[in-house]
Amino acid sequence: PLATMITPNLAEAQALLGDGRALESLEDMQQAAADLHKLGCTSVLIKGGHLAERKQKHKQAAAAAAGSIVQETPQQQQDEEVVYAVDVLYDGTRCYYYTAPFIETANTHGTGCTLAAAIATALANGQTPVQAVQTAKDYLTSALAASVGLGLGAGPQHPFNHGAGYGRVQGGPMGL
């Protein structure tokens, strides 16, 4: 194979498959990963962040609609169901699932490239694909959590988060 791993998001996976199918569930992601594997790479990671984003927006819209009718207590708000971003890795034999809480941020520019670079780095350091994806997913999740807006558009996710949040005060990293 020319590629050890491909890492398409949902739209990219749909384009690579080219058969017009929609990827709207975990089951769709599993099948897409298996079908893309047949193209010749060693493993396929279908990234599910966009699916989680759609679920989060649906949840917010439902809450907004209900908000005018029902007033939630702080405990009810705290007990809200968490939306998870789930990625599916297929290695030709089985699927592996990587979950992390969906982080609501506009600072998502470059997340796919950051994840792929982190996976490549972990693979180059001797990790298996299964380990490398977990390492990269953890890294990207922490980078997203430490992200800050640039004031316009979709900002970067803060991939150089060596100590991000250290000394942080309200309003930005390191008190800025």
Side-chain angles (χ1 to χ4, degrees):
L2 296 176
T4 300
M5 183 184 301
I6 59 171
T7 61
N9 62 32
L10 297 174
E12 293 164 342
Q14 288 172 299
L16 288 169
L17 289 165
D19 57 11
R21 78 175 95 165
L23 303 181
E24 298 176 343
S25 69
L26 186 59
E27 293 77 20
D28 293 342
M29 291 169 65
Q30 294 165 336
Q31 187 60 56
D35 291 345
L36 287 170
H37 184 267
K38 294 173 188 172
L39 297 177
C41 58
T42 305
S43 51
V44 177
L45 178 69
I46 305 280
K47 300 175 295 193
H50 290 95
L51 188 60
E53 184 177 26
R54 286 196 296 259
K55 287 181 183 177
Q56 180 71 6
K57 286 180 180 176
H58 175 71
K59 185 173 125 180
Q60 288 171 339
S68 59
I69 301 168
V70 178
Q71 193 72 309
E72 291 183 332
T73 67
Q75 184 61 45
Q76 288 171 319
Q77 291 171 348
Q78 188 176 22
D79 292 340
E80 279 284 312
E81 179 184 332
V82 175
V83 174
Y84 289 92
V86 180
D87 301 335
V88 176
L89 175 69
Y90 182 70
D91 66 0
T93 305
R94 64 174 282 211
C95 286
Y96 300 86
Y97 307 92
Y98 302 87
T99 62
F102 177 75
I103 297 171
E104 189 174 348
T105 178
N107 304 316
T108 56
H109 185 77
T111 53
C113 294
T114 299
L115 182 70
I119 291 169
T121 300
L123 289 170
N125 281 305
Q127 291 187 13
T128 67
V130 172
Q131 294 167 328
V133 171
Q134 185 63 62
T135 298
K137 176 99 173 169
D138 292 344
Y139 173 73
L140 182 59
T141 300
S142 67
L144 284 167
S147 69
V148 253
L150 296 177
L152 63 137
Q157 71 293 143
H158 201 321
F160 301 109
N161 67 345
H162 318 290
Y166 179 76
R168 177 177 263 183
V169 296
Q170 190 93 18
M174 317 297 178
L176 301 175

